[in-house]
Amino acid sequence: METKIEVGDKVKCKKFGSLKHDFIGSVEKKYENSAVVAILEHDNEDSVAVTDFHNRAVVRFDCMKKISA
């Protein structure tokens, strides 16, 4: 991981589990190898899954890319 991800950063995350598309979110809390991401933008096809996740997901750092602070 070249760019250090911090709380508040906007990130693009790879799809996983029941999500069929990548999504954009904001980092809320960091752990050792992952972070809690608030899902801000997602494909309409994933709306049910995002609602089931309560608009949050735990994502590994190697599955996200920082797009802005």
Side-chain angles (χ1 to χ4, degrees):
M1 185 176 65
E2 295 177 16
T3 306
K4 190 165 172 102
I5 295 174
E6 298 295 337
V7 172
D9 288 349
K10 194 170 183 182
V11 291
K12 181 169 185 177
C13 303
K14 294 181 183 177
K15 63 183 179 179
F16 70 93
S18 57
L19 295 173
K20 297 180 180 178
H21 303 277
D22 294 349
F23 60 93
I24 294 175
S26 175
V27 176
E28 291 189 334
K29 183 174 182 175
K30 288 176 51 177
Y31 297 108
E32 189 172 326
N33 296 308
S34 60
V36 175
V37 176
I39 300 172
L40 303 174
E41 301 173 30
H42 60 85
D43 190 275
N44 285 339
E45 190 176 354
D46 292 329
S47 291
V48 173
V50 170
T51 301
D52 288 346
F53 294 161
H54 301 285
N55 296 328
R56 287 179 174 71
V58 177
V59 182
R60 295 187 329 238
F61 287 126
D62 59 354
C63 291
M64 66 175 75
K65 181 178 180 182
K66 181 176 177 179
I67 54 177
S68 69

